[in-house]
Amino acid sequence: MLETLQMAPPDPILGLSEAFRQDPNPHKINLSVGVYQDAQGKTPTLAVVKAAERRLLEEEANKGYLGIDGLPEYGRHVQELLLGPAHPIIAQGRAVTAQTPGGTGALRVAADFFQQKLRGRRIWVSEPTWANHPSVFQAAGLEVGTYPYLNAAGTGLDLDGLLATLRTVPAGDAVCLHASCHNPTGIDPTVDQWRLIAQVLVQRQLLPLVDFAYQGFAESIEADRAGLLVLADADVDMLICSSFSKNFGLYGERVGALTLVAPTAERAQVGLSHIKVCIRTNYSNPPRHGGLIVARILGDSQLRARWLDEVTAMRDRIAGMRRLFVDTLRAKGVTRDFSFITQQRGMFSYSGITPAQVDRLRSEYAIYLVRSGRINVAGMTESNMDRLCDAIRDVL
Ligand code: LMR
């Protein structure tokens, strides 16, 4: 049976991590996968996560299965982080949450739910979007359309193009939106632009599927939910796929959530019953450990405050690297204007570096970027900046 099967291509993002690991160059730089690195180029476990794990080790009495939708207290914390603790949607019971294996797990369950239970046919993603979005949605049996996102200069949002395309989308389709820290561009709509997007979603009766993987990496946990709150005010049904990979550094623990916002508490419960069927027929129930860590930290005011400090430190370091990158390129005589990189938010920037230049960076300098030119700014450090900017100047 396997004779005719051809080798699948490597994953455009995770495939680079494998290649990076195998690269013997001691000066190699990894700016590909969206993983935070500290000033020493390491990705250590957050100190608050270690503290919570020590407590869990003492307290945890069994390793039994979680419910199909995960820990109940985890769901409550997720909703409060997403919408703010006092949001009426929570008080009215209109949000339901299932703990999922990472944000990708949430996306797949959301897509299955949309396709199998809501009879959805198509989802629209930004061009460009996270490289795995189209694949996850297609694997769930959905057609994938695209709406424009980048302006002609490649440095800002093409709001007119985005709105014009959404105005042509048939009612009942879903639209994938990035709540903040757009991956791969780092370009987010302003609140006024979110209002215009929400208007079109309402007029066209489209279902927003919001990917919220980087809460806290743009401005703050609270400010980063601004776009989501605009959608919540618009009274649309909504699927929100969120992740604690980045803001808790829990990458390999696979800790995410799918939250459904429905018009009534009763509709939310009906929706959850079907989401649970999608989960049970896929991976049965979510992994325990990461969910317990998050619930432990968010449920304890001291641990929570320590976590917020660590998120702030990660965000500030990335912002500092954005400025240093732009200044260093300028100091090295690069005349192209890269100042837009300091305006972009989150881990990523769309650098405008071409695939051919990306290939040269990798083969000649052991510097790894996604071929689209996406840079993970969180992989920059003060010690690799000179080498990185010299190499970019050479290939430009
Ligand atoms: C990324 O975009 O690099 C991250 O979200 C990691 C991944 O799974 O691709």
PDB file of all heavy atoms in Angstrom, residues 259-272:
ATOM      1  N   THR A 259     -13.469  28.646  22.758  1.00  0.00           N
ATOM      2  CA  THR A 259     -14.596  29.297  23.444  1.00  0.00           C
ATOM      3  C   THR A 259     -15.644  29.644  22.404  1.00  0.00           C
ATOM      4  O   THR A 259     -15.331  30.232  21.363  1.00  0.00           O
ATOM      5  CB  THR A 259     -14.112  30.568  24.172  1.00  0.00           C
ATOM      6  OG1 THR A 259     -13.150  30.172  25.163  1.00  0.00           O
ATOM      7  CG2 THR A 259     -15.264  31.298  24.850  1.00  0.00           C
ATOM      8  N   LEU A 260     -16.871  29.255  22.699  1.00  0.00           N
ATOM      9  CA  LEU A 260     -17.994  29.595  21.821  1.00  0.00           C
ATOM     10  C   LEU A 260     -18.815  30.682  22.506  1.00  0.00           C
ATOM     11  O   LEU A 260     -19.158  30.544  23.686  1.00  0.00           O
ATOM     12  CB  LEU A 260     -18.870  28.350  21.598  1.00  0.00           C
ATOM     13  CG  LEU A 260     -20.250  28.582  20.977  1.00  0.00           C
ATOM     14  CD1 LEU A 260     -20.146  28.971  19.506  1.00  0.00           C
ATOM     15  CD2 LEU A 260     -21.119  27.322  21.120  1.00  0.00           C
ATOM     16  N   VAL A 261     -19.086  31.760  21.786  1.00  0.00           N
ATOM     17  CA  VAL A 261     -19.985  32.796  22.302  1.00  0.00           C
ATOM     18  C   VAL A 261     -21.293  32.677  21.528  1.00  0.00           C
ATOM     19  O   VAL A 261     -21.301  32.728  20.288  1.00  0.00           O
ATOM     20  CB  VAL A 261     -19.371  34.207  22.141  1.00  0.00           C
ATOM     21  CG1 VAL A 261     -20.365  35.279  22.575  1.00  0.00           C
ATOM     22  CG2 VAL A 261     -18.078  34.318  22.942  1.00  0.00           C
ATOM     23  N   ALA A 262     -22.392  32.503  22.254  1.00  0.00           N
ATOM     24  CA  ALA A 262     -23.695  32.230  21.620  1.00  0.00           C
ATOM     25  C   ALA A 262     -24.699  33.310  22.049  1.00  0.00           C
ATOM     26  O   ALA A 262     -24.463  34.045  23.008  1.00  0.00           O
ATOM     27  CB  ALA A 262     -24.174  30.848  22.054  1.00  0.00           C
ATOM     28  N   PRO A 263     -25.855  33.395  21.380  1.00  0.00           N
ATOM     29  CA  PRO A 263     -26.818  34.448  21.727  1.00  0.00           C
ATOM     30  C   PRO A 263     -27.474  34.254  23.096  1.00  0.00           C
ATOM     31  O   PRO A 263     -27.891  35.228  23.715  1.00  0.00           O
ATOM     32  CB  PRO A 263     -27.869  34.370  20.619  1.00  0.00           C
ATOM     33  CG  PRO A 263     -27.512  33.232  19.739  1.00  0.00           C
ATOM     34  CD  PRO A 263     -26.236  32.624  20.197  1.00  0.00           C
ATOM     35  N   THR A 264     -27.589  33.007  23.554  1.00  0.00           N
ATOM     36  CA  THR A 264     -28.190  32.752  24.875  1.00  0.00           C
ATOM     37  C   THR A 264     -27.400  31.642  25.577  1.00  0.00           C
ATOM     38  O   THR A 264     -26.674  30.881  24.927  1.00  0.00           O
ATOM     39  CB  THR A 264     -29.646  32.240  24.755  1.00  0.00           C
ATOM     40  OG1 THR A 264     -29.589  30.973  24.058  1.00  0.00           O
ATOM     41  CG2 THR A 264     -30.552  33.203  24.004  1.00  0.00           C
ATOM     42  N   ALA A 265     -27.599  31.539  26.890  1.00  0.00           N
ATOM     43  CA  ALA A 265     -26.922  30.478  27.652  1.00  0.00           C
ATOM     44  C   ALA A 265     -27.379  29.102  27.158  1.00  0.00           C
ATOM     45  O   ALA A 265     -26.585  28.161  27.075  1.00  0.00           O
ATOM     46  CB  ALA A 265     -27.235  30.642  29.139  1.00  0.00           C
ATOM     47  N   GLU A 266     -28.636  29.020  26.796  1.00  0.00           N
ATOM     48  CA  GLU A 266     -29.173  27.722  26.359  1.00  0.00           C
ATOM     49  C   GLU A 266     -28.502  27.305  25.042  1.00  0.00           C
ATOM     50  O   GLU A 266     -28.070  26.167  24.876  1.00  0.00           O
ATOM     51  CB  GLU A 266     -30.693  27.849  26.213  1.00  0.00           C
ATOM     52  CG  GLU A 266     -31.431  26.572  25.874  1.00  0.00           C
ATOM     53  CD  GLU A 266     -31.719  26.437  24.373  1.00  0.00           C
ATOM     54  OE1 GLU A 266     -31.774  27.459  23.656  1.00  0.00           O
ATOM     55  OE2 GLU A 266     -31.845  25.302  23.906  1.00  0.00           O
ATOM     56  N   ARG A 267     -28.353  28.263  24.092  1.00  0.00           N
ATOM     57  CA  ARG A 267     -27.697  27.956  22.809  1.00  0.00           C
ATOM     58  C   ARG A 267     -26.211  27.606  23.030  1.00  0.00           C
ATOM     59  O   ARG A 267     -25.650  26.775  22.325  1.00  0.00           O
ATOM     60  CB  ARG A 267     -27.765  29.164  21.856  1.00  0.00           C
ATOM     61  CG  ARG A 267     -29.133  29.448  21.265  1.00  0.00           C
ATOM     62  CD  ARG A 267     -29.573  28.399  20.259  1.00  0.00           C
ATOM     63  NE  ARG A 267     -30.362  27.336  20.858  1.00  0.00           N
ATOM     64  CZ  ARG A 267     -30.582  26.137  20.293  1.00  0.00           C
ATOM     65  NH1 ARG A 267     -30.090  25.836  19.128  1.00  0.00           N
ATOM     66  NH2 ARG A 267     -31.303  25.235  20.893  1.00  0.00           N
ATOM     67  N   ALA A 268     -25.618  28.273  24.015  1.00  0.00           N
ATOM     68  CA  ALA A 268     -24.200  27.995  24.305  1.00  0.00           C
ATOM     69  C   ALA A 268     -24.045  26.539  24.771  1.00  0.00           C
ATOM     70  O   ALA A 268     -23.130  25.830  24.347  1.00  0.00           O
ATOM     71  CB  ALA A 268     -23.684  28.964  25.365  1.00  0.00           C
ATOM     72  N   GLN A 269     -24.961  26.091  25.633  1.00  0.00           N
ATOM     73  CA  GLN A 269     -24.871  24.709  26.130  1.00  0.00           C
ATOM     74  C   GLN A 269     -25.114  23.702  25.007  1.00  0.00           C
ATOM     75  O   GLN A 269     -24.468  22.658  24.939  1.00  0.00           O
ATOM     76  CB  GLN A 269     -25.873  24.483  27.274  1.00  0.00           C
ATOM     77  CG  GLN A 269     -25.500  25.206  28.564  1.00  0.00           C
ATOM     78  CD  GLN A 269     -24.117  24.841  29.093  1.00  0.00           C
ATOM     79  OE1 GLN A 269     -23.663  23.706  28.974  1.00  0.00           O
ATOM     80  NE2 GLN A 269     -23.418  25.816  29.655  1.00  0.00           N
ATOM     81  N   VAL A 270     -26.057  24.023  24.128  1.00  0.00           N
ATOM     82  CA  VAL A 270     -26.300  23.130  22.982  1.00  0.00           C
ATOM     83  C   VAL A 270     -25.029  23.058  22.130  1.00  0.00           C
ATOM     84  O   VAL A 270     -24.586  21.968  21.732  1.00  0.00           O
ATOM     85  CB  VAL A 270     -27.498  23.640  22.133  1.00  0.00           C
ATOM     86  CG1 VAL A 270     -27.621  22.844  20.839  1.00  0.00           C
ATOM     87  CG2 VAL A 270     -28.787  23.549  22.935  1.00  0.00           C
ATOM     88  N   GLY A 271     -24.426  24.235  21.888  1.00  0.00           N
ATOM     89  CA  GLY A 271     -23.178  24.263  21.104  1.00  0.00           C
ATOM     90  C   GLY A 271     -22.103  23.420  21.761  1.00  0.00           C
ATOM     91  O   GLY A 271     -21.438  22.603  21.108  1.00  0.00           O
ATOM     92  N   LEU A 272     -21.950  23.569  23.085  1.00  0.00           N
ATOM     93  CA  LEU A 272     -20.916  22.816  23.800  1.00  0.00           C
ATOM     94  C   LEU A 272     -21.142  21.314  23.681  1.00  0.00           C
ATOM     95  O   LEU A 272     -20.186  20.542  23.535  1.00  0.00           O
ATOM     96  CB  LEU A 272     -20.878  23.244  25.274  1.00  0.00           C
ATOM     97  CG  LEU A 272     -19.826  22.543  26.128  1.00  0.00           C
ATOM     98  CD1 LEU A 272     -18.413  22.847  25.620  1.00  0.00           C
ATOM     99  CD2 LEU A 272     -19.946  22.951  27.593  1.00  0.00           C
TER     100      LEU A 272
END
